[in-house]
Amino acid sequence: MTRKILEEALKAHLRGELLEAKNLYQQAISHGSIDPAAYANLGFILKEEGFLEDAIHLTLKALNLAPDNPLFLANAAGICLEMQDISSAINFSKKAIEIQPDHAIALANLGRALKEAGNPEEALAMTKKSLEIYPNNPTTLITAASIYKELGLMDKALEASKKAFKLNPLESKALTLTGKVYQATGNIEGSKYFFGEALNLNKNETEALHSLSISATPEEATELLDLAHKIDLSKLKDSDKTYLLYAASNCLHRLNEFEAASRHLREAHKIKLSYAPSEAASYLDDMHFFIGKKHNIAIMQSNEILFKKIFIVGMPRCGSTLLESILSMNPSIKDLGESRAMGQIVKDLIEQPSANPKNSPTIEATYENLVSSTECMPEYTVDKQLYNFRFSGLIAEAMPAAKIIHCRRHPLDNILSMLRANLAIGNNYTSSIKDCAVVLIEQEKTMNAYKKAWPNQIHTFNYDQFVSEPKKTLLPLLEWLGLEWQDHYLSPEKNQRPINTASVVQVRRPISAKSLGSWRNYENMLAPARDLIQKSDLFGDFKL
């Protein structure tokens, strides 16, 4: 009996009649079927319908019956990705690949998971392997495009996203990603076209809606709000809900309806924290681990320096992208973006400290090797991995000629900007008002300690002073870096370099002090952060 029901379910599934297949799978299970395919296939259908908890429950039942089935493992990874359980997605994918190394779905899922985990290079390798097996998978091509974009390979990103859309003209995410590539390269009008087309194709494409809200005029904000109100929030997965709520908040902010904008932000933060917990404690542990300690890491200085190194450090949304755009207008400076080189070096040194440091490459030589390419060697490099502030002491000691620029702005403007930005996974604390303040305060303490120990290698760049008096603020920094003044430094909006940060739209505009004091529009929401900032007594140079 159950075998016949299951056979009918499989036939309906293959015909694409998912509702009938779903009902038949449920009947087979209720009649006592122990065929793992019944559980796995029903789980797959429920995943497509958005019932993720039920989907993973059924898929795990299938794996209990058939623990070495690579397809079931790959399906489990896919569901975990939708649930933002990245570590489980990685584990399920890796196990599937151990069993079947050429499993295209498992490789694709591992690529997506590694990207979310902040390993774009490894993610790209897995995604390419999947595409070698199944080159015309639109979903995998979209993953490849998003990784290429993150790595700054915009031509390849555009090629992959357009190919995905050509293969599946109903794939709104391909259009959204194409719009994001245009946005990153400064073609704001072109990006708006693709975001609009994505929404025309799929009114629930909330990532496109959010992207449009970032640069919306008041008239556009009104139209986008109308679109947002027509979307049924209950039918969206959590990550799409957050995009929708952030988009609505952006539009309300543009219309000066700040209380309503605050309400939408709070709801967005609540949902986002449910699948991406703050993890502020881990950030604090990292800071405390490095400050004032050697950790048996051998610090050797290089005799030969290939290029002069500039590190921009601080908190997200502190004005660092604007400064990076200005400095990279100098042809002798190579922009490295948010390099992971120092983080990798420190990880390797801590996990595998050298038994004989004299026979090991220096930290500086290792860093140069990681960030160098076959291109002509630049005179300077700029590394804007903000969280390198944790390693400022190590950088200063191991690279005495390096220059570290600490970007600061009004702490409450900084916190507000982080809260409004919907930053990527890896900046989870920015969804919590209190945790934003706590991490910012500890970062300030950390940098104060490093500045005291290495005053000649760390320069403080005050964003507020810069946008108020650009040339007056920039001249001392350039002199400290050994660079001559150039008038075009005051027109960073003309820099056509790709930008992959949340400041992608703002940096394309002329320098402006308009955002200073924006926090006052959100005083009620920011009250917990304000109390912590005031008690810290670390920001006396700003009016609180």
Side-chain angles (χ1 to χ4, degrees):
M1 177 69 175
T2 58
R3 173 54 54 188
K4 185 176 181 180
I5 295 172
L6 187 55
E7 287 175 356
E8 292 301 316
L10 289 169
K11 290 176 183 177
H13 201 158
L14 289 171
R15 293 194 302 269
E17 297 171 359
L18 298 187
L19 181 58
E20 182 182 351
K22 174 183 171 182
N23 291 332
L24 289 167
Y25 286 132
Q26 290 173 331
Q27 284 183 41
I29 291 170
S30 67
H31 281 79
S33 174
I34 56 171
D35 191 318
Y39 293 97
N41 292 347
L42 180 56
F44 183 83
I45 292 173
L46 290 175
K47 168 184 173 285
E48 295 302 300
E49 292 180 344
F51 299 106
L52 300 179
E53 293 289 348
D54 292 335
I56 193 65
H57 175 72
L58 287 162
T59 307
L60 291 177
K61 277 195 171 184
L63 283 169
N64 284 334
L65 295 167
D68 293 328
N69 186 304
L71 179 58
F72 298 169
L73 288 162
N75 286 349
I79 297 166
C80 289
L81 277 167
E82 296 298 318
M83 299 175 74
Q84 296 292 319
D85 184 356
I86 304 305
S87 61
S88 294
I90 290 173
N91 291 335
F92 281 124
S93 298
K94 285 185 174 179
K95 187 172 181 182
I97 293 166
E98 285 176 7
I99 297 166
Q100 184 178 335
D102 64 345
H103 199 288
I105 297 173
L107 288 164
N109 285 340
L110 182 56
R112 285 177 60 197
L114 289 169
K115 176 186 179 295
E116 292 296 321
N119 298 313
E121 291 85 2
E122 292 180 46
L124 183 59
M126 294 299 106
T127 305
K128 282 183 172 180
K129 284 185 178 181
S130 179
L131 287 171
E132 286 172 4
I133 300 162
Y134 187 4
N136 293 329
N137 186 321
T139 302
T140 311
L141 284 163
I142 289 171
T143 301
S146 66
I147 299 169
Y148 281 131
K149 175 183 172 293
E150 185 173 341
L151 293 171
L153 303 171
M154 297 301 171
D155 289 343
K156 289 187 175 182
L158 204 57
E159 180 184 352
S161 64
K162 288 185 173 180
K163 183 178 179 181
F165 183 71
K166 185 176 180 180
L167 288 166
N168 182 4
L170 298 179
E171 183 53 85
S172 58
K173 289 198 177 300
L175 290 169
T176 298
L177 192 50
T178 302
K180 282 182 167 288
V181 174
Y182 274 69
Q183 191 179 65
T185 54
N187 187 344
I188 303 301
E189 290 305 311
S191 72
K192 286 183 176 181
Y193 168 78
F194 283 103
F195 294 142
E197 288 298 295
L199 283 167
N200 288 337
L201 193 60
N202 177 11
K203 69 176 184 178
N204 290 341
E205 185 57 51
T206 56
E207 189 173 359
L209 186 71
H210 175 257
S211 296
L212 282 170
S213 73
I214 296 171
S215 59
T217 65
E219 294 76 15
E220 290 169 340
T222 301
E223 293 177 5
L224 291 174
L225 271 176
D226 185 53
L227 287 175
H229 291 151
K230 293 177 181 178
I231 296 174
D232 186 350
L233 199 67
S234 67
K235 293 184 178 180
L236 300 177
K237 63 182 182 181
D238 284 347
S239 57
D240 287 331
K241 289 177 184 177
T242 59
Y243 275 122
L244 178 62
L245 290 163
Y246 275 107
S249 180
N250 285 342
C251 293
L252 290 162
H253 176 90
R254 192 73 182 90
L255 296 170
N256 297 327
E257 297 181 27
F258 301 115
E259 283 301 318
S262 296
R263 289 196 300 273
H264 283 76
L265 268 184
R266 287 191 181 101
E267 186 61 27
H269 297 155
K270 181 180 178 181
I271 295 172
K272 192 171 181 180
L273 287 169
S274 71
Y275 64 82
S278 169
E279 299 178 348
S282 66
Y283 294 91
L284 302 183
D285 288 344
D286 273 358
M287 289 183 235
H288 299 153
F289 182 83
F290 290 101
I291 189 72
K293 296 181 181 179
K294 297 290 186 181
H295 310 293
N296 298 319
I297 294 175
I299 297 176
M300 298 176 60
Q301 298 174 6
S302 297
N303 294 322
E304 182 181 354
I305 298 172
L306 297 181
F307 45 80
K308 299 173 185 176
K309 300 161 192 67
I310 301 169
F311 294 87
I312 299 176
V313 303
M315 294 292 287
R317 308 293 290 167
C318 64
S320 58
T321 302
L322 176 60
L323 177 59
E324 181 188 30
S325 284
I326 290 168
L327 294 178
S328 64
M329 295 179 83
N330 187 317
S332 65
I333 294 177
K334 179 184 178 182
D335 168 23
L336 300 176
E338 296 181 339
S339 167
R340 291 175 173 81
M342 275 307 303
Q344 185 60 52
I345 289 170
V346 171
K347 181 176 181 289
D348 291 345
L349 286 169
I350 291 172
E351 291 180 353
Q352 299 175 336
S354 174
N356 188 357
K358 291 183 179 180
N359 296 330
S360 302
T362 66
I363 289 173
E364 185 155 23
T366 304
Y367 177 84
E368 289 178 345
N369 183 59
L370 286 172
V371 303
S372 297
S373 67
T374 55
E375 300 171 12
C376 181
M377 191 65 66
E379 185 179 353
Y380 294 83
T381 59
V382 175
D383 185 332
K384 196 190 78 75
Q385 175 48 258
L386 293 173
Y387 293 125
N388 278 342
F389 77 80
R390 299 168 297 166
F391 318 133
S392 293
L394 181 63
I395 293 169
E397 195 166 349
M399 309 180 197
K403 301 288 188 179
I404 301 169
I405 305 171
H406 178 214
C407 280
R408 295 174 78 240
R409 68 185 293 192
H410 191 292
L412 293 175
D413 276 338
N414 199 164
I415 289 170
L416 174 62
S417 191
M418 288 191 285
L419 291 168
R420 294 188 59 225
N422 191 19
L423 295 175
I425 303 299
N427 303 281
N428 300 9
Y429 66 89
T430 61
S431 298
S432 164
I433 295 170
K434 285 188 177 180
D435 287 349
C436 275
V438 169
V439 174
L440 176 60
I441 288 166
E442 291 302 312
Q443 177 260 178
E444 189 75 7
K445 288 180 183 177
T446 299
M447 288 309 300
N448 284 347
Y450 285 137
K451 289 173 188 176
K452 185 177 180 180
W454 289 279
N456 297 323
Q457 284 181 255
I458 305 176
H459 180 97
T460 302
F461 178 80
N462 188 310
Y463 170 82
D464 296 36
Q465 291 177 1
F466 173 71
V467 296
S468 300
E469 299 179 290
K471 188 169 184 178
K472 182 179 178 181
T473 306
L474 193 57
L475 275 170
L477 172 60
L478 294 174
E479 183 179 350
W480 180 71
L481 292 172
L483 299 172
E484 294 184 359
W485 173 260
Q486 297 179 28
D487 287 337
H488 63 236
Y489 285 146
L490 298 183
S491 301
E493 72 278 7
K494 296 179 181 178
N495 191 337
Q496 294 304 306
R497 72 188 183 94
I499 297 173
N500 270 318
T501 71
S503 304
V504 60
V505 173
Q506 293 89 334
V507 174
R508 302 296 184 187
R509 296 168 179 163
I511 296 168
S512 170
K514 187 177 179 180
S515 66
L516 299 186
S518 293
W519 69 271
R520 294 191 181 279
N521 296 316
Y522 293 83
E523 281 192 80
N524 292 334
M525 184 182 79
L526 293 171
R530 188 180 186 183
D531 289 343
L532 291 170
I533 294 293
Q534 287 176 326
K535 288 176 184 176
S536 75
D537 201 28
L538 291 170
F539 301 91
D541 50 334
F542 296 101
K543 188 175 180 180
L544 299 172

PDB file of all heavy atoms in Angstrom, residues 474-490:
ATOM      1  N   LEU A 474      42.721  66.982   5.858  1.00  0.00           N
ATOM      2  CA  LEU A 474      43.446  66.018   5.035  1.00  0.00           C
ATOM      3  C   LEU A 474      44.942  66.328   4.930  1.00  0.00           C
ATOM      4  O   LEU A 474      45.770  65.413   4.877  1.00  0.00           O
ATOM      5  CB  LEU A 474      42.820  65.964   3.639  1.00  0.00           C
ATOM      6  CG  LEU A 474      43.228  64.811   2.730  1.00  0.00           C
ATOM      7  CD1 LEU A 474      42.932  63.464   3.379  1.00  0.00           C
ATOM      8  CD2 LEU A 474      42.500  64.912   1.392  1.00  0.00           C
ATOM      9  N   LEU A 475      45.293  67.603   4.919  1.00  0.00           N
ATOM     10  CA  LEU A 475      46.706  67.982   4.728  1.00  0.00           C
ATOM     11  C   LEU A 475      47.652  67.342   5.752  1.00  0.00           C
ATOM     12  O   LEU A 475      48.689  66.787   5.366  1.00  0.00           O
ATOM     13  CB  LEU A 475      46.847  69.506   4.747  1.00  0.00           C
ATOM     14  CG  LEU A 475      46.596  70.217   3.409  1.00  0.00           C
ATOM     15  CD1 LEU A 475      46.523  71.725   3.606  1.00  0.00           C
ATOM     16  CD2 LEU A 475      47.681  69.862   2.399  1.00  0.00           C
ATOM     17  N   PRO A 476      47.348  67.394   7.062  1.00  0.00           N
ATOM     18  CA  PRO A 476      48.254  66.764   8.032  1.00  0.00           C
ATOM     19  C   PRO A 476      48.397  65.251   7.827  1.00  0.00           C
ATOM     20  O   PRO A 476      49.482  64.701   8.024  1.00  0.00           O
ATOM     21  CB  PRO A 476      47.603  67.070   9.387  1.00  0.00           C
ATOM     22  CG  PRO A 476      46.711  68.231   9.145  1.00  0.00           C
ATOM     23  CD  PRO A 476      46.234  68.082   7.736  1.00  0.00           C
ATOM     24  N   LEU A 477      47.315  64.606   7.425  1.00  0.00           N
ATOM     25  CA  LEU A 477      47.376  63.172   7.169  1.00  0.00           C
ATOM     26  C   LEU A 477      48.285  62.870   5.991  1.00  0.00           C
ATOM     27  O   LEU A 477      49.133  61.965   6.051  1.00  0.00           O
ATOM     28  CB  LEU A 477      45.964  62.622   6.903  1.00  0.00           C
ATOM     29  CG  LEU A 477      45.874  61.163   6.435  1.00  0.00           C
ATOM     30  CD1 LEU A 477      46.477  60.219   7.469  1.00  0.00           C
ATOM     31  CD2 LEU A 477      44.432  60.771   6.141  1.00  0.00           C
ATOM     32  N   LEU A 478      48.131  63.617   4.914  1.00  0.00           N
ATOM     33  CA  LEU A 478      48.964  63.395   3.727  1.00  0.00           C
ATOM     34  C   LEU A 478      50.434  63.638   4.036  1.00  0.00           C
ATOM     35  O   LEU A 478      51.316  62.893   3.589  1.00  0.00           O
ATOM     36  CB  LEU A 478      48.504  64.307   2.587  1.00  0.00           C
ATOM     37  CG  LEU A 478      47.100  64.019   2.035  1.00  0.00           C
ATOM     38  CD1 LEU A 478      46.713  65.086   1.019  1.00  0.00           C
ATOM     39  CD2 LEU A 478      47.024  62.636   1.405  1.00  0.00           C
ATOM     40  N   GLU A 479      50.706  64.679   4.805  1.00  0.00           N
ATOM     41  CA  GLU A 479      52.088  64.969   5.198  1.00  0.00           C
ATOM     42  C   GLU A 479      52.663  63.821   6.014  1.00  0.00           C
ATOM     43  O   GLU A 479      53.808  63.408   5.809  1.00  0.00           O
ATOM     44  CB  GLU A 479      52.132  66.270   6.001  1.00  0.00           C
ATOM     45  CG  GLU A 479      53.544  66.695   6.388  1.00  0.00           C
ATOM     46  CD  GLU A 479      53.557  67.998   7.155  1.00  0.00           C
ATOM     47  OE1 GLU A 479      52.508  68.665   7.234  1.00  0.00           O
ATOM     48  OE2 GLU A 479      54.629  68.351   7.704  1.00  0.00           O
ATOM     49  N   TRP A 480      51.865  63.278   6.926  1.00  0.00           N
ATOM     50  CA  TRP A 480      52.306  62.154   7.757  1.00  0.00           C
ATOM     51  C   TRP A 480      52.575  60.911   6.899  1.00  0.00           C
ATOM     52  O   TRP A 480      53.507  60.144   7.181  1.00  0.00           O
ATOM     53  CB  TRP A 480      51.215  61.875   8.795  1.00  0.00           C
ATOM     54  CG  TRP A 480      51.473  60.753   9.733  1.00  0.00           C
ATOM     55  CD1 TRP A 480      52.389  60.713  10.747  1.00  0.00           C
ATOM     56  CD2 TRP A 480      50.790  59.488   9.756  1.00  0.00           C
ATOM     57  NE1 TRP A 480      52.314  59.507  11.414  1.00  0.00           N
ATOM     58  CE2 TRP A 480      51.340  58.744  10.823  1.00  0.00           C
ATOM     59  CE3 TRP A 480      49.767  58.929   8.999  1.00  0.00           C
ATOM     60  CZ2 TRP A 480      50.905  57.454  11.140  1.00  0.00           C
ATOM     61  CZ3 TRP A 480      49.332  57.659   9.316  1.00  0.00           C
ATOM     62  CH2 TRP A 480      49.887  56.931  10.374  1.00  0.00           C
ATOM     63  N   LEU A 481      51.788  60.743   5.835  1.00  0.00           N
ATOM     64  CA  LEU A 481      51.974  59.600   4.934  1.00  0.00           C
ATOM     65  C   LEU A 481      53.107  59.810   3.939  1.00  0.00           C
ATOM     66  O   LEU A 481      53.527  58.869   3.261  1.00  0.00           O
ATOM     67  CB  LEU A 481      50.678  59.324   4.161  1.00  0.00           C
ATOM     68  CG  LEU A 481      49.483  58.802   4.959  1.00  0.00           C
ATOM     69  CD1 LEU A 481      48.233  58.772   4.089  1.00  0.00           C
ATOM     70  CD2 LEU A 481      49.767  57.420   5.544  1.00  0.00           C
ATOM     71  N   GLY A 482      53.578  61.039   3.834  1.00  0.00           N
ATOM     72  CA  GLY A 482      54.622  61.339   2.848  1.00  0.00           C
ATOM     73  C   GLY A 482      54.075  61.568   1.462  1.00  0.00           C
ATOM     74  O   GLY A 482      54.787  61.368   0.470  1.00  0.00           O
ATOM     75  N   LEU A 483      52.831  62.014   1.366  1.00  0.00           N
ATOM     76  CA  LEU A 483      52.178  62.256   0.077  1.00  0.00           C
ATOM     77  C   LEU A 483      51.975  63.748  -0.141  1.00  0.00           C
ATOM     78  O   LEU A 483      51.756  64.500   0.809  1.00  0.00           O
ATOM     79  CB  LEU A 483      50.814  61.549   0.024  1.00  0.00           C
ATOM     80  CG  LEU A 483      50.823  60.031   0.162  1.00  0.00           C
ATOM     81  CD1 LEU A 483      49.400  59.507   0.301  1.00  0.00           C
ATOM     82  CD2 LEU A 483      51.516  59.380  -1.031  1.00  0.00           C
ATOM     83  N   GLU A 484      52.041  64.161  -1.388  1.00  0.00           N
ATOM     84  CA  GLU A 484      51.822  65.565  -1.720  1.00  0.00           C
ATOM     85  C   GLU A 484      50.342  65.824  -1.956  1.00  0.00           C
ATOM     86  O   GLU A 484      49.583  64.938  -2.354  1.00  0.00           O
ATOM     87  CB  GLU A 484      52.619  65.946  -2.980  1.00  0.00           C
ATOM     88  CG  GLU A 484      54.130  65.903  -2.775  1.00  0.00           C
ATOM     89  CD  GLU A 484      54.882  66.374  -4.013  1.00  0.00           C
ATOM     90  OE1 GLU A 484      54.210  66.711  -5.029  1.00  0.00           O
ATOM     91  OE2 GLU A 484      56.120  66.387  -3.971  1.00  0.00           O
ATOM     92  N   TRP A 485      49.949  67.063  -1.737  1.00  0.00           N
ATOM     93  CA  TRP A 485      48.552  67.462  -1.942  1.00  0.00           C
ATOM     94  C   TRP A 485      48.180  67.413  -3.424  1.00  0.00           C
ATOM     95  O   TRP A 485      48.978  67.799  -4.293  1.00  0.00           O
ATOM     96  CB  TRP A 485      48.320  68.880  -1.411  1.00  0.00           C
ATOM     97  CG  TRP A 485      46.944  69.386  -1.761  1.00  0.00           C
ATOM     98  CD1 TRP A 485      46.614  70.234  -2.775  1.00  0.00           C
ATOM     99  CD2 TRP A 485      45.726  69.038  -1.120  1.00  0.00           C
ATOM    100  NE1 TRP A 485      45.264  70.432  -2.814  1.00  0.00           N
ATOM    101  CE2 TRP A 485      44.686  69.709  -1.795  1.00  0.00           C
ATOM    102  CE3 TRP A 485      45.410  68.224  -0.034  1.00  0.00           C
ATOM    103  CZ2 TRP A 485      43.359  69.595  -1.428  1.00  0.00           C
ATOM    104  CZ3 TRP A 485      44.086  68.105   0.341  1.00  0.00           C
ATOM    105  CH2 TRP A 485      43.081  68.794  -0.360  1.00  0.00           C
ATOM    106  N   GLN A 486      46.987  66.926  -3.711  1.00  0.00           N
ATOM    107  CA  GLN A 486      46.437  66.971  -5.068  1.00  0.00           C
ATOM    108  C   GLN A 486      44.991  67.442  -4.969  1.00  0.00           C
ATOM    109  O   GLN A 486      44.219  66.927  -4.144  1.00  0.00           O
ATOM    110  CB  GLN A 486      46.499  65.584  -5.720  1.00  0.00           C
ATOM    111  CG  GLN A 486      47.924  65.055  -5.905  1.00  0.00           C
ATOM    112  CD  GLN A 486      47.963  63.676  -6.537  1.00  0.00           C
ATOM    113  OE1 GLN A 486      47.066  63.304  -7.285  1.00  0.00           O
ATOM    114  NE2 GLN A 486      48.998  62.909  -6.232  1.00  0.00           N
ATOM    115  N   ASP A 487      44.610  68.390  -5.786  1.00  0.00           N
ATOM    116  CA  ASP A 487      43.278  68.995  -5.675  1.00  0.00           C
ATOM    117  C   ASP A 487      42.153  67.971  -5.852  1.00  0.00           C
ATOM    118  O   ASP A 487      41.080  68.109  -5.254  1.00  0.00           O
ATOM    119  CB  ASP A 487      43.110  70.120  -6.706  1.00  0.00           C
ATOM    120  CG  ASP A 487      43.912  71.362  -6.328  1.00  0.00           C
ATOM    121  OD1 ASP A 487      44.220  71.515  -5.116  1.00  0.00           O
ATOM    122  OD2 ASP A 487      44.218  72.165  -7.220  1.00  0.00           O
ATOM    123  N   HIS A 488      42.400  66.954  -6.665  1.00  0.00           N
ATOM    124  CA  HIS A 488      41.309  66.007  -6.915  1.00  0.00           C
ATOM    125  C   HIS A 488      40.989  65.143  -5.702  1.00  0.00           C
ATOM    126  O   HIS A 488      39.997  64.399  -5.705  1.00  0.00           O
ATOM    127  CB  HIS A 488      41.596  65.133  -8.150  1.00  0.00           C
ATOM    128  CG  HIS A 488      42.800  64.256  -8.031  1.00  0.00           C
ATOM    129  ND1 HIS A 488      43.822  64.299  -8.930  1.00  0.00           N
ATOM    130  CD2 HIS A 488      43.143  63.307  -7.127  1.00  0.00           C
ATOM    131  CE1 HIS A 488      44.751  63.414  -8.600  1.00  0.00           C
ATOM    132  NE2 HIS A 488      44.356  62.806  -7.508  1.00  0.00           N
ATOM    133  N   TYR A 489      41.803  65.222  -4.641  1.00  0.00           N
ATOM    134  CA  TYR A 489      41.458  64.513  -3.415  1.00  0.00           C
ATOM    135  C   TYR A 489      40.112  64.976  -2.862  1.00  0.00           C
ATOM    136  O   TYR A 489      39.453  64.239  -2.127  1.00  0.00           O
ATOM    137  CB  TYR A 489      42.532  64.737  -2.345  1.00  0.00           C
ATOM    138  CG  TYR A 489      43.818  63.968  -2.555  1.00  0.00           C
ATOM    139  CD1 TYR A 489      45.045  64.518  -2.177  1.00  0.00           C
ATOM    140  CD2 TYR A 489      43.823  62.688  -3.096  1.00  0.00           C
ATOM    141  CE1 TYR A 489      46.229  63.826  -2.332  1.00  0.00           C
ATOM    142  CE2 TYR A 489      45.008  61.994  -3.271  1.00  0.00           C
ATOM    143  CZ  TYR A 489      46.211  62.569  -2.893  1.00  0.00           C
ATOM    144  OH  TYR A 489      47.384  61.864  -3.061  1.00  0.00           O
ATOM    145  N   LEU A 490      39.736  66.210  -3.193  1.00  0.00           N
ATOM    146  CA  LEU A 490      38.480  66.754  -2.673  1.00  0.00           C
ATOM    147  C   LEU A 490      37.281  66.389  -3.548  1.00  0.00           C
ATOM    148  O   LEU A 490      36.175  66.851  -3.301  1.00  0.00           O
ATOM    149  CB  LEU A 490      38.588  68.279  -2.539  1.00  0.00           C
ATOM    150  CG  LEU A 490      39.661  68.773  -1.561  1.00  0.00           C
ATOM    151  CD1 LEU A 490      39.617  70.293  -1.451  1.00  0.00           C
ATOM    152  CD2 LEU A 490      39.480  68.137  -0.188  1.00  0.00           C
TER     153      LEU A 490
END
